Amino acid sequence: MMNFRRCMLGVMIALLPLAMTGCLPKTEITTKDSQISMADDTYSDVSMKKVKFNGLKKYIDINMECGNVTIKKSSDKDIHVEYVDGVGIRVEEMGSMISVRYQGSSINSDEPVIIHMPDVYKGEVNAKIDNGGIQIGDMKDLEKLELELTNGNINCENVVAKEVELASKNGKVMFANLDADKSIDIKIENGNIEGSFAKDINKYKVTTDIKGNRNIPENIDGEGAEVHIECANGSVNI
């Protein structure tokens, strides 16, 4: 018994610096049926809270110090937000806006927030995340999509909007079948840009500022939406 207590005391002392910095050990997370299954049994079966909003909301604003956000098509005309309850994530309705907030670093960067939206949602989606990632897919008629990460990856698939802005300081920007009526702006400071547009790239009006490897011309004088691509340190493959 004494040996067991000494062992536990040693584990607690080893973990104390991590707890003080708010940087808890990262665990793998998978979502299924509104439950989270993690490798660490201490956090198994964490319940996901669900909130439903009218699908006519005009603005979704996400601002998180860390976390992983997934936006995908809902099965109805409402907006559904799922998130881990009890860790400080706040989901609020403010007039025509849905606000998702998390300030702190006590959760790991994979903490999930899942937003189900009608594929014909006509509002704006704005997301700013310091550490984590964001994935969005199957949105056909957004007014504006603006995603900004400090450290992490952006994955955007089958999305059409009037205006698109994708930016990450450190990570990767990936997209497939992306299109816009007016403009597409993609920026990365340290990392790679990989993807494909809904149309042949020669149909867009493209300008670039790329300080690394590329497989596209510096400029393309197409007649479609304006596309601007910046990469300060990395590569571009489109």
Side-chain angles (χ1 to χ4, degrees):
M1 186 68 174
M2 183 63 69
N3 290 336
F4 174 77
R5 289 179 178 174
R6 288 177 178 174
C7 179
M8 291 301 296
L9 180 60
V11 171
M12 292 174 65
I13 292 173
L15 291 176
L16 182 59
L18 292 172
M20 293 177 66
T21 60
C23 299
L24 298 182
K26 188 175 178 179
T27 54
E28 293 298 324
I29 299 177
T30 57
T31 58
K32 182 178 180 181
D33 298 332
S34 300
Q35 296 292 316
I36 297 177
S37 176
M38 302 185 186
D40 185 349
D41 291 337
T42 305
Y43 300 94
S44 63
D45 296 326
V46 178
S47 63
M48 294 282 280
K49 185 174 182 179
K50 293 183 178 181
V51 185
K52 184 173 75 171
F53 300 95
N54 188 298
L56 297 178
K57 295 294 178 182
K58 294 300 183 184
Y59 195 78
I60 296 177
D61 187 66
I62 302 161
N63 194 312
M64 302 178 68
E65 289 193 12
C66 58
N68 194 303
V69 176
T70 298
I71 301 174
K72 57 185 180 179
K73 183 170 66 174
S74 66
S75 58
D76 56 27
K77 295 183 179 180
D78 292 318
I79 298 171
H80 306 262
V81 182
E82 297 183 65
Y83 60 100
V84 180
D85 197 13
V87 297
I89 297 174
R90 292 185 298 142
V91 178
E92 300 175 311
E93 183 176 11
M94 300 178 178
S96 62
M97 180 178 77
I98 298 171
S99 172
V100 180
R101 293 283 186 275
Y102 176 75
Q103 292 183 334
S105 57
S106 60
I107 64 176
N108 66 65
S109 61
D110 281 336
E111 205 74 48
V113 173
I114 305 170
I115 302 175
H116 304 262
M117 297 167 50
D119 60 349
V120 292
Y121 175 75
K122 296 181 182 297
E124 297 185 18
V125 176
N126 179 287
K128 184 176 182 180
I129 302 174
D130 288 344
N131 299 289
I134 185 163
Q135 304 83 39
I136 180 170
D138 300 321
M139 296 291 112
K140 300 178 180 178
D141 200 15
L142 294 175
E143 183 70 21
K144 185 175 182 179
L145 175 65
E146 186 174 357
L147 310 178
E148 180 182 352
L149 271 72
T150 303
N151 300 297
N153 299 336
I154 295 173
N155 195 327
C156 183
E157 186 172 353
N158 298 324
V159 171
V160 179
K162 289 184 179 178
E163 299 176 72
V164 175
E165 295 181 16
L166 310 176
S168 177
K169 287 188 177 180
N170 303 289
K172 182 183 289 187
V173 177
M174 298 166 286
F175 56 95
N177 200 30
L178 177 65
D179 202 5
D181 297 332
K182 293 183 179 179
S183 63
I184 299 173
D185 196 335
I186 303 173
K187 298 179 181 179
I188 194 160
E189 290 189 16
N190 299 292
N192 301 331
I193 296 173
E194 300 176 3
S196 63
F197 296 110
K199 305 182 184 74
D200 186 288
I201 193 170
N202 293 299
K203 295 185 179 296
Y204 298 93
K205 186 176 181 62
V206 180
T207 58
T208 66
D209 183 4
I210 300 171
K211 303 293 194 303
N213 296 328
R214 62 162 75 209
N215 71 335
I216 60 172
E218 184 175 354
N219 297 294
I220 299 175
D221 193 20
E223 296 182 355
E226 294 184 356
V227 174
H228 182 69
I229 299 171
E230 288 188 25
C231 179
N233 182 29
S235 63
V236 174
N237 185 7
I238 297 175

